[in-house]
Amino acid sequence: QVQLVESGGGLVQAGGSLRLSCAVSGGTFTSYAMAWFRQPPGKEREFVVVISRSGGATTYADSVKGRFTVSRDNAKNTMYLQMNSLRPEDTAVYLCAADRDYNAFRKKEYDYWGQGTQVTVSS
């Protein structure tokens, strides 16, 4: 059974930075494209970014382009999300997801999901 565990969330002031991690176990990490989603309070889950199996391709939501950077370390079975210039509207539970299909983010249908980590940005 594939398991995803997020970490690195917390409280930060606007303009600050955080780095999230998503550790994967129980499967072959390089078999999966990996993605970050987020769910703001009282709102639907929204796509943030996806990274291909090799890390050579990425797709970002317009709202985070130029501020967030995704990466993965296939030797450590871990994906990362570096978040800079954070804004109060970035406040959400951030979840990582895994799927064999890179384009799964278009339908938000993923094989595996983590439990999420809370990110709170104060103004």
Side-chain angles (χ1 to χ4, degrees):
Q1 181 71 12
V2 177
Q3 292 186 322
L4 286 66
V5 179
E6 302 93 338
S7 61
L11 174 64
V12 64
Q13 288 188 332
S17 298
L18 281 175
R19 188 193 194 205
L20 306 183
S21 299
C22 173
V24 179
S25 61
T28 303
F29 186 60
T30 52
S31 295
Y32 300 99
M34 299 293 299
W36 288 99
F37 284 78
R38 65 187 183 185
Q39 187 158 14
K43 297 184 179 181
E44 292 188 355
R45 188 172 296 180
E46 60 187 43
F47 167 73
V48 176
V49 60
V50 60
I51 185 168
S52 64
R53 301 174 189 183
S54 67
T58 57
T59 301
Y60 289 86
D62 288 344
S63 58
V64 305
K65 280 182 182 177
R67 301 188 299 122
F68 290 10
T69 303
V70 67
S71 61
R72 63 189 293 164
D73 185 336
N74 286 345
K76 295 183 178 180
N77 290 357
T78 302
M79 174 179 63
Y80 304 98
L81 183 65
Q82 179 66 44
M83 305 187 295
N84 299 329
S85 301
L86 283 162
R87 305 166 180 169
E89 55 263 39
D90 294 318
T91 294
V93 174
Y94 283 71
L95 306 100
C96 61
D99 197 277
R100 296 178 185 274
D101 182 5
Y102 181 87
N103 290 304
F105 72 95
R106 301 185 188 280
K107 295 184 178 180
K108 303 180 184 178
E109 295 177 352
Y110 275 75
D111 289 338
Y112 304 102
W113 291 89
Q115 293 297 309
T117 186
Q118 177 69 47
V119 171
T120 302
V121 184
S122 63
S123 57

